[in-house]
Amino acid sequence: MAAHKIKIAARLRPRLENELDDGGIQITHTPGGPSCISVPNPRDLSQVFNFPFTSCYDQSSVQEDIFEQDVRPLIDVVYSGVTVTIFAYGVTSSGKTHTMQGTKAQPGVIPRVVKAMFLQKAALERSSVELAVSYMEIYKDEVYDLLVNRETAPKLPVRENDAGQVFVANLTSLPLASVEEFDTIYSHASRHRSVGATNLNNASSRSHAVLTIEVTMTDSAAQKTLTGKINLVDLAGSENNKLTGNDPTRMAESAAINKSLSVLGQVVHALNQGASRIPYRNSKLTRILQDALGGSSVGLLICNLAPGTKFRQDTLNTLNFAVRTKNVENRPVINERDNRPQTKAHFAAIQPPPPKLAPAVLQSIPIHATSNTANAAAGPSRGPRPSRVPRISGVGTGLIPPLAAAGRTRSRPSSSAAILERSETLVQLTDKEIDERIARAVETEVARRLKEREDKEEKMRLQQEKENLALKEKQAAEAEIEKRQLRAEHKLPPGVLTPLLTRHRDLDDQLQARLAELEEKYERGNKELQLADVLSPASKKKTGRAYVALARAHSEKGDLQVALDLYRKAETYVPDNIKLRERVLEIEWALKNGKDFVPSPKKQRKPRGQKRKVAALALARACEEGSSMGSAGQSLMGQGSVDEVEHGSGEEAASGSGSALSHIKEEYEGDAIVLETLPKRSRCEVKMEQ
């Protein structure tokens, strides 16, 4: 059976403002042949690498070109019941999101695909067509639903059903009635996606986004249902941290992005090498895209290239990945379901025929061959192997004459006749059915043995509990006898042990109360930790700030215990905050020692220029006081004239006695300011001496 290889489309974005471009990347189009991209080697400019692809787009290309030539033909494939996956790949700031989403003036692949899907739906008259959309992102190797509130969105698990199909559990799917409804849903969901600013891109995608549009076509006349899907994937770009200038948070996001893209390259390499194990499970991204990489869907890879010289090595890496990816073989199938009521099949009946291949829309994919001749013509393939069950032998079928057989109608038929009679009702088993029966038998046997082991362990546990209980009762009886003997031998005066017993009861009550308090705190802490574990980083910070605000309000009212509990809750959401930890320790110390706790007030910001005005007024007042007290030899310090302070000359004045730093306090518009000046002679004192 022939396979369908992933198609490659390369697109070079235009040069950005202030971007250094030497024009080294060239795209040549050959009439009637494949296009070619030429890239010079950044280590040896005399060496040029050529990459031939089916579709290549230069800087002058528009969104409509790539959609009409490479994307629109895949709409018919989706409506034939086949899954299609289109994903954009490239270095950061290479134009992936622009290619997939676009703008209102230049719509990208996603809005154009939705519009084409609804146009195709209107053209179908014989079937009932329904469209549905789902949208998710993979952020730090965790899957989140973008159609719900992002701040409370939980992490979604990636699972596999009994048919081997990978899916995301609990992912929201919304029905679509029009293009306008999709635009509203998509614009609202896109705001939930994780983005951040770097040195290379002001709105860099920090996650992989997967938009899925599912079309269900039900033909009531033929009683069949076709299900087609198109996955539109906007991959986050690989990043060089030397160029992006990432902070620690962006660095962690970049590490997760580069790791998932590295696993994607490993999967492609393993598929090309024909490895026995493909590392799909090493990343959530490759796990979700498993059907598009060597699976049963049709794939299109759009490689986005940046023309800048600083991206030259990343451009070569992207093109090398595209060369490896175009050799990956998929085997598309039609997702068809028969709606007719099915009769209960015989336990030995053969399974339904294998799914049909995609129709003639894909010229490179032939119709699934069912005869031996077609299988032989296809050459070596990974199709179903012949069954290992021995065929029914026909040897000896003519040993009994017809008349003799008629005369012995009541006698037991021969073994060969019985085999022939059974062969009319039994059908040859396939490898898949044999494996399923073996698996069911193994599961049944394992379950039975586990049940027996559990029953045996339960009986042993009950027996052990009975023995322990009998032993405890025996020990208690012996201890009671010993106590009675001791009481008989050593009788104490009445009332001697009463204070001790009362004290022990008080201690027991205190211990029980303390244990109850600790258990309550432990349960409350566990609930907070579980809630903090499912929240996103941004939600954790917001929740922590809310708890801190409540705690500050209670601490100002004097409710230190309530404030301490709120501060501890805030600490579960932001455990790395050192100031918050110090505040918790301060309140614990105040409660333990019975001291009052006064929270530090919030700092108030002052408008610019106010400090200089206050300093000028203080200097003027100091000069006036210094001139009035010149006869006594006492001079106050200042900081130059008012004109110099207002013009920012920065000269300082000091007292004539050469004393230590002087402090001037001045109230201006309700704020107190302290000015410290060095011992330096002021101009006021110089005039006084003259």
Side-chain angles (χ1 to χ4, degrees), residues 460-472:
M460 293 177 63
R461 186 180 63 81
L462 294 175
Q463 184 66 23
Q464 186 67 24
E465 289 180 356
K466 290 181 180 179
E467 294 178 356
N468 293 338
L469 182 60
L471 181 60
K472 288 181 180 180

Side-chain angles (χ1 to χ4, degrees), residues 566-585:
L566 292 173
Y567 276 125
R568 285 174 177 170
K569 288 183 178 181
E571 192 177 8
T572 60
Y573 293 92
V574 283
D576 298 333
N577 195 314
I578 299 176
K579 293 184 179 180
L580 180 59
R581 183 57 185 167
E582 292 177 354
R583 179 59 57 85
V584 171
L585 294 177

